[in-house]
Amino acid sequence: MKKIISLLVRNRPGVLSHVAGLVTRRAYNVESIAAGPTENRDITRITLVVAGDEKVLDQVIKQLRKLIDVIKIDAIPHENAMTGELALITVSFTPEKKTEIMSLIGLLGLTVKSIEKDRATVMIAGSAQSVDTAINGLAPFHIRAMARTGLVALPLDRDNF
Amino acid sequence: MTKETKKKRGRAPANGAELIVDFFERNGVDLVFGYPGGAVIPLYDALHDGNAKHVLARHEQGAAHAADGFARASGRTGVVIATSGPGATNLVTGLANAHMDSVPLVAITGQVNTSSLGTDGFQEADIYGISIPITKYNYLVKNPADLEDVLAEAFFLAGTGRPGPVLIDVPRDIQTAPAKSNGKKTVSIPGYDPRPVPDDGEVEALAGAISRSRRPVFYVGGGASGEGVSETLLKLAEDSDIAVVSTLQAKGVFPDDRELSLGLPGMHGAKYANLAINESDLIIGLGVRFDDRVVGDVRGFAPLARVAHVDVDPAEIGKRVSVDIPVAGDLKLVLDRLAKTIKPSKKPAWRERLARLKSEHPLIVPESRGNLIKPQAAIRALSEATGGEAIIVTDVGQHQMWAAQFVTSTKPRRFLSSGGLGTMGFGLPASVGAALSGTGLPVALVSGDGSFQMTLQELATVRQYDIPVKILIIDNGCLGMVRQWQEFFFDKRYSQTVFEYNPDFSALAKVYGIPGKRVENPADLTDSVRELLETPGPGLLDVVCDGGENVLPMIPAGKGQTDFYEAEENPPRPS
Ligand SMILES: Cc1ncc(C[n+]2csc(CCOP(=O)(O)OP(=O)(O)O)c2C)c(N)n1
Ligand SMILES: [Mg+2]
């Protein structure tokens, strides 16, 4: 089972170390962790995607809630979440494959950030699934570099936050 | 430096260091433990004029354990100061120890100047990063304007909710930077509840379960050593015939001499304690962690019982053992409400069963073999001679478990022992702190010949401040607890557990100006212990003991509640 955990934390210098340290120390299975500012500059939002059984996930949430800097924690079921992710992908290719790859990029709806004769960097922003689809689509070519932000999420029900 | 050259400052703080000392004064911190160094010279300069007394340990680990012992004995937050780099890293064991046993501490470390942070400067160690997993919270102060708020938050966090150590790393230039008090009084941290109020429904569910139970057991931990818990617990247990098992941290919270007291549960608990858990239909955990040394095999724990767990830290509830009746909240609030709700109900059958278990499986002090003192007898002699009117501190090993078994404690905060981390060397410095905690009680240390050698430099502290600690060394010539495991589980292959050399501990004490005696003959034991206690000032008694003795009963690690090890057989090695 996987859960999206959304944290609102005090925007303090060591807060990411505290969160990251906790999940590694307690050997939790964290698939992604993304942090960024919120509408309030004293507060940061951290989104984690954690895998584990019910008991483990329950512990993850309780241990995270215990961190002094955590102001609010919500476990959002996937079906109640608006989620998004962004990825930058650099592929390389031989010049004769360029047309093929350009049409694939168009087909997948990727944004071209740079293009040269033997390589291109594209960007995709969307659901985790659409990012996966883009990566799978480009996989037959040589993926030289990739950066994924990890999932960010908000609950569908905004009143809840 | 003589007293005359010390001039009290008596003016508003002018820099960060003075602000710290001023904060101590305004917040009733009258005693701190520590060790100076380059990065805290400004702070020590301010302390020189301050009202708080500073006790100079002989090692930062000693200072940390002393602050810890002070806190355990008094319930107040202990304070320890160390310099940057090696001074700070020497605190690590002390912090981890306090963290595991939820002891309120504030550690203040010096650090290189803010401009040098991260450059591997002389005596720079990232104690902020190092201490994240072993503190409740920690700070690196980068702005002088933050210092006072950080201090206030740190003391607030250390002493409230589930207590724990908090570290403040203060770069040298923050100590010397101009600073003045902002006079702010209150601390509030969003999302942090210092005293969580229990949910009515949860408390009612627990009250109902207790009323219906026929064989209830309170399983009490360190979380119950807070002010005013003991009395309510006693009333609840006696009114409804609830048996009580107490972890190392809770020893004395429920008086050991009561019929309902079953003492320590788990690995080295009496058989009757574990059998009672095994037969119980309701286990009520109070401020405990369901630690592996108590529970053993999680699947086999209390097979007939529903499990209730009351804890101020919701993360403890269900962490190891599945809980049927969770109650998250302040323990005193919960017990007070239970005491109001629950109607007394006598359970003669359960009482009778408990009495029978006790008489069938008593804890025994074995007879002397040849002319060797049994360590258990030495500890019993200490317990009888102090009669509960002393703080007993232990080190870690067999002697610690025998102390848990054979010392009778009747009040909370009178049995101090490193439980969660099991830190050898905790004893002597913790005794120093306990003796200075203002309880007025005598302090006796039960140490081992191994443990004592880990922090014995603190004998100098004992002498310098004339601290009347009574040191009893259970001298079995070995690292007894490890030797025991080797005997039971590793074919008696005593790899590196027998001391081929030990100092003469009584002579060692004398070198430090402390009266030292040695006793070897069982016939002299009682008198020697009495003499140790009755001679004013510090003293050390080296009790030369039978080195082949084992702590029994024993449930091997990870085994079920009634899988008592029979000392004669040789089971296969644990894999
Ligand atoms: C700092 C530290 N190192 C190692 C251990 C492992 N250990 C646990 S008990 C023990 C033996 C302690 O020997 P001693 O103090 O003589 O006590 P005894 O068991 O002989 O009573 C050891 C080595 C520990 N608990 N702490
Ligand atoms: Mg020993």
Side-chain angles (χ1 to χ4, degrees):
Chain A
M1 193 165 65
K2 260 187 228 170
K3 256 192 187 149
I4 303 169
I5 297 174
S6 177
L7 300 174
L8 290 176
V9 300
R10 293 205 286 179
N11 186 10
R12 294 214 158 205
V15 63
L16 254 181
S17 302
H18 279 94
V19 172
L22 174 77
V23 293
T24 35
R25 187 164 70 250
R26 295 201 181 260
Y28 299 142
N29 229 332
V30 173
E31 299 204 340
S32 70
I33 178 164
T38 63
E39 67 284 359
N40 177 343
R41 67 188 176 83
D42 295 331
I43 294 176
T44 296
R45 184 184 298 278
I46 301 178
T47 311
L48 299 129
V49 178
V50 191
D53 61 27
E54 192 71 54
K55 190 174 152 93
V56 168
L57 290 171
D58 185 52
Q59 261 295 304
V60 175
I61 291 163
K62 284 174 165 175
Q63 293 291 350
L64 284 168
R65 178 174 289 135
K66 195 161 107 177
L67 290 177
I68 306 299
D69 287 322
V70 170
I71 300 166
K72 191 163 180 352
I73 176 165
D74 279 277
I76 321 174
H78 267 277
E79 59 275 20
N80 292 342
M82 297 180 287
T83 64
E85 194 176 359
L86 185 145
L88 290 166
I89 308 159
T90 302
V91 281
S92 61
F93 42 79
T94 50
E96 57 273 21
K97 289 270 184 185
K98 189 166 178 176
T99 351
E100 188 185 331
I101 205 159
M102 287 316 291
S103 69
L104 182 62
I105 286 170
L107 204 65
L108 292 167
L110 309 178
T111 310
V112 176
K113 301 295 284 185
S114 84
I115 184 143
E116 288 163 48
K117 64 179 188 318
D118 60 351
R119 69 179 62 185
T121 297
V122 294
M123 184 180 84
I124 169 140
S127 66
Q129 202 195 351
S130 61
V131 174
D132 286 341
T133 308
I135 293 166
N136 290 338
L138 292 170
F141 301 92
H142 183 71
I143 296 182
R144 298 182 63 101
M146 182 168 84
R148 286 180 83 152
T149 55
L151 206 67
V152 291
L154 284 178
L156 280 173
D157 167 20
R158 272 303 269 159
D159 296 343
N160 190 18
F161 260 51
Chain B
M1 192 99 346
T2 57
K3 285 262 155 56
E4 289 74 43
T5 60
K6 259 184 106 163
K7 280 217 181 67
K8 297 285 168 203
R9 200 165 22 87
R11 58 176 161 80
N15 63 22
E18 291 183 9
L19 190 69
I20 294 173
V21 174
D22 188 62
F23 182 90
F24 288 166
E25 283 168 19
R26 284 185 286 119
N27 291 276
V29 178
D30 46 19
L31 180 65
V32 301
F33 301 86
Y35 207 93
V40 281
I41 294 179
L43 178 54
Y44 273 84
D45 190 62
L47 278 168
H48 199 52
D49 294 333
N51 289 328
K53 177 178 171 177
H54 180 279
V55 169
L56 177 65
R58 294 302 189 266
H59 187 299
E60 290 86 353
Q61 183 189 352
H65 290 326
D68 178 321
F70 169 91
R72 285 181 204 239
S74 67
R76 296 165 62 198
T77 297
V79 179
V80 56
I81 300 171
T83 191
S84 67
T89 55
N90 272 348
L91 292 181
V92 166
T93 302
L95 291 171
N97 187 71
H99 191 52
M100 282 291 255
D101 288 345
S102 306
V103 177
L105 279 195
V106 169
I108 298 177
T109 48
Q111 183 53 282
V112 300
N113 286 331
T114 46
S115 58
S116 309
L117 279 171
T119 64
D120 306 318
F122 178 64
Q123 294 196 327
E124 177 177 9
D126 174 19
I127 197 63
Y128 176 82
I130 290 170
S131 63
I132 288 175
I134 50 170
T135 51
K136 180 170 174 181
Y137 196 57
N138 60 3
Y139 301 86
L140 167 58
V141 183
K142 287 187 183 163
N143 181 348
D146 295 340
L147 184 60
E148 192 175 10
D149 288 346
V150 164
L151 283 162
E153 260 192 37
F155 277 87
F156 175 67
L157 286 172
T160 57
R162 178 177 181 175
V166 177
L167 178 133
I168 312 173
D169 201 19
V170 189
R172 199 178 192 278
D173 57 325
I174 301 290
Q175 297 168 43
T176 53
K180 63 171 197 275
S181 170
N182 61 21
K184 209 161 79 186
K185 288 255 152 53
T186 55
V187 178
S188 105
I189 299 169
Y192 176 80
D193 188 349
R195 198 174 191 204
V197 176
D199 175 80
D200 283 333
E202 289 186 347
V203 178
E204 268 163 42
L206 176 55
I210 292 176
S211 304
R212 284 189 300 275
S213 164
R214 301 204 340 260
R215 296 181 304 281
V217 175
F218 275 135
Y219 157 35
V220 186
S225 47
E227 196 67 38
V229 169
S230 208
E231 296 77 2
T232 321
L233 180 68
L234 184 64
K235 181 175 158 31
L236 279 168
E238 292 291 350
D239 280 355
S240 299
D241 288 342
I242 306 174
V244 183
V245 297
S246 308
T247 71
L248 215 49
Q249 300 311 316
K251 196 171 159 60
V253 169
F254 187 81
D256 278 337
D257 54 5
R258 291 276 165 157
E259 228 176 76
L260 286 167
S261 169
L262 305 177
L264 193 71
M267 182 176 280
H268 290 302
K271 280 194 183 176
Y272 51 76
N274 289 309
L275 290 170
I277 291 174
N278 199 53
E279 294 179 16
S280 165
D281 63 355
L282 179 66
I283 303 286
I284 309 145
L286 301 176
V288 279
R289 297 188 290 124
F290 289 82
D291 170 74
D292 56 275
R293 285 293 184 267
V294 168
V295 168
D297 181 3
V298 172
R299 290 161 305 176
F301 179 71
L304 308 177
R306 300 183 76 205
V307 176
H309 189 180
V310 184
D311 210 290
V312 69
D313 177 0
E316 283 304 336
I317 299 175
K319 185 179 82 177
R320 299 198 69 248
V321 167
S322 303
V323 170
D324 305 297
I325 308 159
V327 186
D330 181 90
L331 189 57
K332 181 165 166 30
L333 296 178
V334 175
L335 291 187
D336 287 349
R337 283 195 204 173
L338 284 178
K340 279 200 201 112
T341 339
I342 295 176
K343 286 197 197 69
S345 77
K346 290 291 163 198
K347 301 174 181 65
W350 184 224
R351 269 217 188 236
E352 216 167 278
R353 178 67 189 148
L354 295 170
R356 193 185 172 103
L357 285 174
K358 275 185 153 181
S359 67
E360 279 176 1
H361 308 278
L363 282 172
I364 297 167
V365 173
E367 290 299 317
S368 286
R369 239 187 340 208
N371 217 13
L372 290 173
I373 293 175
K374 287 291 179 189
Q376 298 94 322
I379 287 163
R380 187 179 55 189
L382 177 72
S383 177
E384 284 173 358
T386 48
E389 288 308 309
I391 295 174
I392 309 281
V393 185
T394 82
D395 252 304
V396 169
Q398 290 182 313
H399 62 279
Q400 175 188 33
M401 291 299 114
W402 286 318
Q405 292 177 337
F406 296 109
V407 168
T408 305
S409 299
T410 51
K411 301 255 171 60
R413 303 192 178 283
R414 292 194 180 177
F415 185 88
L416 314 185
S417 193
S418 165
L421 199 66
T423 310
M424 289 172 70
F426 169 77
L428 182 59
S431 306
V432 167
L436 297 174
S437 66
T439 59
L441 290 164
V443 174
L445 165 65
V446 178
S447 189
D449 50 335
S451 296
F452 188 69
Q453 293 184 68
M454 287 212 168
T455 48
L456 68 82
Q457 75 283 346
E458 301 307 331
L459 285 173
T461 315
V462 168
R463 179 69 282 162
Q464 176 175 333
Y465 298 93
D466 201 20
I467 299 168
V469 177
K470 315 296 184 184
I471 304 164
L472 192 85
I473 296 189
I474 301 298
D475 185 358
N476 54 6
C478 62
L479 298 170
M481 186 55 95
V482 184
R483 190 208 54 73
Q484 173 172 344
W485 283 51
Q486 290 171 335
E487 178 183 336
F488 289 0
F489 311 121
F490 288 86
D491 297 332
K492 304 190 165 74
R493 288 158 54 82
Y494 299 126
S495 177
Q496 304 299 316
T497 46
V498 178
F499 288 124
E500 281 158 28
Y501 171 81
N502 253 342
D504 173 345
F505 292 106
S506 59
L508 182 73
K510 287 178 207 146
V511 169
Y512 280 97
I514 294 167
K517 285 261 165 75
R518 174 205 297 232
V519 57
E520 290 179 83
N521 188 337
D524 302 333
L525 181 63
T526 317
D527 286 346
S528 305
V529 170
R530 183 142 284 135
E531 188 190 331
L532 170 74
L533 295 172
E534 283 169 5
T535 310
L540 181 148
L541 180 64
D542 178 17
V543 185
V544 180
C545 289
D546 188 341
E549 202 48 44
N550 291 318
V551 184
L552 292 170
M554 176 175 193
I555 301 167
K559 289 295 176 88
Q561 209 76 37
T562 55
D563 295 332
F564 302 111
Y565 179 76
E566 298 302 333
E568 280 76 31
E569 359 165 337
N570 261 329
R573 290 179 191 201
S575 48

